[in-house]
Each structure stands twice: as C-alpha cells, then as structure tokens.
Amino acid sequence: MIKMEVTRFRPGEDDAPIVQSYEVPLRKEWAVLDGLNYIKDQLDGTLSYRWSCRMGICGSCGMTVNGKPQLSCATFLTDYAPGPVRVEPLRNFPVIRDLVVDISDFMTKLPKVKPWLIHDGEVPEDEFLQTPREMDEYKKYSMCINCMLCYSACPVYALEPEFLGPAAIALGQRYNLDSRDDGALERRDVLASAAGAWACTFVGECSTACPKGVDPAGAIQRYKLTAAVSALKDFLLPRGARR
Amino acid sequence: MSRRSPEPLVWLLFSGGGMAAALLVPVLLVLFGLAFPLGWLPAPDHAHLLALVGHPITKLVLFGLCALALFHWAHRFRYTLYDGLKLKQASTLIIVVCYGAALAGSAGAAAVLLMA
C-alpha cells in the first residue's frame, strides 16, 4: 500500500482546500490516476478529477504531483514509493472542486493565436504536399495536447495572468512555421504583443514540464527573434518593402 | 504592444549580448586569467598588447563586447527586479537605471578604448 494525500475542496462545504489521505495498493503498473480511480471506486466516491484516455493523449488529467505539474496517467506510483504521494490541482488556475480546475482562461486565449492553417491563394485539389524537412520545422510544436502543464509551471503566468502563455504561443508558431500557412502577419499583433512572446523571460520551466517534448520555451525564443527582426524592418524599411 | 515599442530592440541587444559574452568572455578569461599567469602559454608583453588594443578592429570588437554584455545585464536585471523582487510598479525608474547604467558603462568603455 502507499499513502496518497489528495487536496480536496468542496464548494459550499469547505472554506479552504483541505488534505485528505487515502491508502491505495502499490502496484508496479499503477499510475497516480489509477490510484485516484481506486479511491473513487473503492474509498470515496465524492472525489472529483478530470481524466479520459489514460495514455497521455487527451491532456485532461494534469495535476500537481509532489509539487510538480504532471499528467497523472503518465506518473507512476512506484516512482514515489514508499510515499506519501501529494496530489494537488494544477497551480495557477482557479479550483472548481477537488482536483478540477477552471481552464476558461486558456480556452479564451487559444483561439486568439488562430491555431489553424490560414492559406492565401488556391487550395490544391489533392493533397497539400510538404517535404519531410518542411514538416520537421513545426512537427515538434504540433505535439501539444493542451494539457496546460506549461501554464501551471510558468512563473510569469503566475505573476501576470494576462500572459498569453507557453502553449498558445507555441501553437501560433506551429502554424507560422508550416509551409502551407500564410497567417504569420495575422498572428503577429497577438503573438508579438506585450502580453505575448515579449512577456516571457525564458525561465524554461514550460519545456521541463511538457510531457510531449514540445519545447514551448524554444518556440517562444524563436518567435522573439522573428518578431524583433520584423520590428526592425518596420522601423528601417519603407512601407512597401516590409514583411 | 505598439509597433513602436522599444522592447524588440532591447531584446536584440540582450540576445546579442548573451551570445557575444558566452562566446568571447570564456576565451578571454582562460587566456588572461589562467593560461598567461600560470605560464601555460607565453604571455605577450605590455607593448605587444597595447599595439593589439590600439588596432581599430580590436577596439571595435572590445567595445561591442562591453556594450552588448552591459545591455544583456541591464535587460536581465530589469526583469529580475520586476519578477524576482516584484517591483514592476517602479518600472520607469528601473528602466532608466538599468539601461542608463548600460549606456554609461558603454560610454566609459568607449572612452577607455579610444584613449588606448
């Protein structure tokens, strides 16, 4: 058995979050999420948390495990033996109940970077051809599962909630770097704003926390260079020669 | 941010300063801090070094390194004060002090190099 210390907050019942301890079986193939499912099924049906796929794709089971933002389906109990394992909601987000956080801030910011292909000119009738090298340019950034671990890890987002944030900027870059996309100029006002890439101070915790190897910090620094060069061009070149 | 914001410019100076310092400072430190004093390499005499520093290209490189490294410090220190010490309310003062110090330091470096 291993002890799981789970943060509970039941609106209307608790004035502040409290910690509740549960003993769950320590099995080598059990993730933290399996422990929570055991608690929910066997010990306490009132525990609330989000999960879906159990395989690191859906991005819904992000939690703070022993102080670090983690996907609870990809974090194994045996790695924390003999315990206890502290399970808290994702930091930097308002808590709705227990381990469930309010993600509406991220959901509002995400569409602002227009994370979809914006194509000028005609769309080819068949496939949109792309070389492997062109795909390598953005593929890493396309692995984002919107789990928000990067927002939870980001100290800038903690201080400045208006910061567009790691995942949203990395997703903007994912489309900017796509050879099929012509939307960089449309995304620029949001990405290159004070609350966009320029708010990032390159702490790098987002890339450490990312469970999919997206490297949002790297994406943001690359974008800063792009934005800085465009700003210099705006400053130095006549109107017609910009872009 | 308006298109006229100086943030991209100071970030370019910060970025360039970080790169220049990372590439050049370790070389200079190893040469003048270890290799010459410990006799790993024959140390150049004073007249030789003075002639080297007197060359316009050396002056330009050294000035670039000093100025860029100072602006790198200024930018980083500004954000350290903002976020580390949570002093963002005093941002105008911090900007003036940080970049002002970098400007003054660069002017000092230019003066020393021009006199060499």
Side-chain angles (χ1 to χ4, degrees):
Chain A
M1 302 293 277
I2 186 167
K3 193 204 272 185
M4 292 182 74
E5 295 174 352
V6 183
T7 300
R8 304 291 313 266
F9 175 69
R10 290 149 296 191
E13 277 178 66
D14 302 323
D15 292 327
I18 52 159
V19 177
Q20 204 161 344
S21 296
Y22 304 95
E23 292 280 335
V24 305
L26 180 61
R27 297 194 186 144
K28 116 168 163 321
E29 66 276 16
W30 269 23
V32 170
L33 179 62
D34 295 298
L36 293 173
N37 284 339
Y38 178 86
I39 296 170
K40 178 112 179 153
D41 293 344
Q42 310 289 333
L43 307 176
D44 185 349
T46 66
L47 181 66
S48 300
Y49 51 98
R50 286 201 185 99
W51 66 286
S52 178
C53 76
R54 317 183 317 283
M55 49 200 279
I57 288 296
C58 74
S60 27
C61 71
M63 293 167 198
T64 307
V65 183
N66 273 18
K68 288 204 170 126
Q70 304 273 13
L71 290 182
S72 58
C73 70
T75 307
F76 287 84
L77 284 174
T78 45
D79 291 338
Y80 297 94
V85 187
R86 285 280 293 116
V87 185
E88 301 161 90
L90 275 185
R91 291 183 184 153
N92 300 344
F93 291 95
V95 174
I96 296 174
R97 180 189 165 95
D98 295 342
L99 302 168
V100 178
V101 293
D102 181 358
I103 61 171
S104 43
D105 181 54
F106 175 67
M107 298 311 282
T108 321
K109 284 170 179 167
L110 188 55
K112 287 190 184 158
V113 302
K114 305 194 179 182
W116 51 79
L117 283 180
I118 298 172
H119 187 67
D120 298 340
E122 272 184 41
V123 176
E125 212 161 283
D126 306 318
E127 298 93 347
F128 223 139
L129 291 180
Q130 196 165 51
T131 65
R133 182 174 294 194
E134 286 170 334
M135 189 169 156
D136 284 344
E137 270 293 297
Y138 68 85
K139 188 168 180 225
K140 180 164 66 165
Y141 307 132
S142 75
M143 302 310 282
C144 176
I145 56 173
N146 302 344
C147 65
M148 289 158 288
L149 297 195
C150 53
Y151 284 77
S152 183
C154 175
V156 175
Y157 183 58
L159 288 171
E160 292 178 44
E162 67 274 22
F163 177 37
L164 188 56
I169 301 176
L171 276 166
Q173 265 296 66
R174 176 252 172 274
Y175 288 94
N176 279 349
L177 296 171
D178 192 317
S179 62
R180 301 164 294 180
D181 184 90
D182 305 302
L185 210 60
E186 288 184 39
R187 295 188 191 98
R188 186 177 155 191
D189 283 340
V190 172
L191 288 178
S193 67
W198 295 119
C200 166
T201 54
F202 200 13
V203 177
E205 282 298 313
C206 51
S207 295
T208 308
C210 180
K212 306 303 281 186
V214 169
D215 189 14
I220 297 172
Q221 303 324 300
R222 272 184 81 176
Y223 188 73
K224 280 183 186 171
L225 187 59
T226 312
V229 171
S230 322
L232 269 190
K233 280 188 189 162
D234 279 0
F235 190 67
L236 298 172
L237 296 180
R239 194 158 284 276
R242 288 176 195 166
R243 237 191 119 126
Chain B
M1 182 181 295
S2 79
R3 293 266 168 102
R4 291 282 165 196
S5 157
E7 190 70 20
L9 180 70
V10 289
W11 181 81
L12 277 177
L13 289 171
F14 162 77
S15 187
M19 179 74 94
L23 289 176
L24 295 178
V25 171
V27 178
L28 293 175
L29 276 181
V30 168
L31 283 178
F32 288 93
L34 291 170
F36 295 150
L38 296 178
W40 299 346
L41 288 172
D45 58 38
H46 180 264
H48 182 161
L49 268 183
L50 196 63
L52 188 67
V53 175
H55 194 280
I57 291 182
T58 317
K59 287 186 185 192
L60 197 66
V61 170
L62 286 179
F63 174 72
L65 175 65
C66 294
L68 285 174
L70 282 168
F71 276 95
H72 180 85
W73 163 81
H75 194 68
R76 170 155 289 180
F77 196 61
R78 171 186 157 205
Y79 279 100
T80 304
L81 294 176
Y82 279 8
D83 295 341
L85 299 182
K86 311 221 168 109
L87 292 174
K88 202 159 187 179
Q89 317 85 283
S91 72
T92 314
L93 178 68
I94 289 173
I95 286 173
V96 170
V97 168
C98 289
Y99 298 117
L103 271 177
S106 303
V112 169
L113 284 166
L114 283 176
M115 284 189 290

